Amino acid sequence: LIFDDWACGVLLKDIAELYQNISKPPSSETFRTGYYKLLLTEQKKIVAEKAKIEWSDENDKDFHFYVSPSGIAVLNTVKGKWGPIKFMMAFDNQGKVKDIMVLELTERRGRPIKDRKLLDQYIGKSAADPIKLNKDIKGIAGATISSRQMSDGVRKMVNIYELFYKK
């Protein structure tokens, strides 16, 4: 796969548009593969230990990956203070975050987590980075729980990416 900034941005925009208009199936030119990955108990232990997270029975059942000529993206959900936060991330071939966007959230005070001010801090991060609130990620005032959950979710997903795709 060949990755570049423009292609990963296009990938996330295509997927976000698809997600918003779910009644329209993706064309074969848009996505080569969209599939779910289920983690085995041992894989969950490995990721939980590396990412320093706890699994959510509600949100961590499966992970939806999209593979296209321009990259790999994954759809995931974390628990915010007031409800689920659904987000999507695109990765480059080194397992670094190329882009991230929040697709849905029900937060009352945590709405600013969908803004680039927080999301841009994740770009370039990989499993080698702490991706921890108040370490390498500056949270949003008034949205500490949502900011922490997003950071935990990103840290989890870069470790899952590393488990499945990094060579």
Side-chain angles (χ1 to χ4, degrees):
L1 296 175
I2 298 171
F3 299 88
D4 58 38
D5 293 335
W6 179 83
C8 284
V10 169
L11 174 67
L12 279 183
K13 288 176 189 164
D14 288 346
I15 293 170
E17 186 176 306
L18 171 66
Y19 182 78
Q20 296 300 326
N21 303 305
I22 202 72
S23 60
K24 296 190 316 186
S27 68
S28 59
E29 297 89 39
T30 306
F31 302 106
R32 286 200 178 152
T33 311
Y35 56 93
Y36 287 96
K37 287 212 176 259
L38 303 172
L39 274 71
L40 303 173
T41 303
E42 188 58 34
Q43 291 171 319
K44 285 183 178 183
K45 287 179 187 176
I46 291 168
V47 170
E49 185 177 303
K50 284 181 151 186
K52 297 175 179 70
I53 54 110
E54 293 194 22
W55 289 99
S56 163
D57 291 336
E58 185 179 341
N59 296 320
D60 292 330
K61 295 177 186 169
D62 52 37
F63 304 95
H64 199 161
F65 285 85
Y66 296 90
V67 179
S68 83
S70 59
I72 295 175
V74 62
L75 179 65
N76 192 235
T77 303
V78 294
K79 183 181 179 198
K81 183 173 183 176
W82 301 103
I85 302 168
K86 189 169 283 199
F87 69 99
M88 182 162 283
M89 301 169 54
F91 294 94
D92 70 11
N93 57 350
Q94 280 82 41
K96 292 183 178 180
V97 177
K98 288 295 276 182
D99 203 357
I100 182 170
M101 66 173 38
V102 174
L103 301 172
E104 284 182 21
L105 73 157
T106 55
E107 299 302 277
R108 294 179 187 166
R109 296 197 57 193
R111 290 209 172 279
I113 65 161
K114 66 182 176 160
D115 297 336
R116 297 311 314 178
K117 181 179 178 181
L118 176 69
L119 300 177
D120 284 348
Q121 296 179 67
Y122 299 116
I123 294 175
K125 301 290 185 188
S126 71
D129 295 300
I131 312 175
K132 196 105 170 124
L133 201 61
N134 299 325
K135 282 198 175 189
D136 60 336
I137 303 295
K138 185 177 178 185
I140 303 294
T144 306
I145 293 171
S146 302
S147 299
R148 182 176 295 116
Q149 292 297 87
M150 277 298 295
S151 293
D152 289 352
V154 171
R155 193 169 58 253
K156 172 183 61 182
M157 295 316 301
V158 296
N159 279 281
I160 290 173
Y161 176 93
E162 186 174 81
L163 179 71
F164 287 123
Y165 295 104
K166 194 162 180 189
K167 295 184 188 299

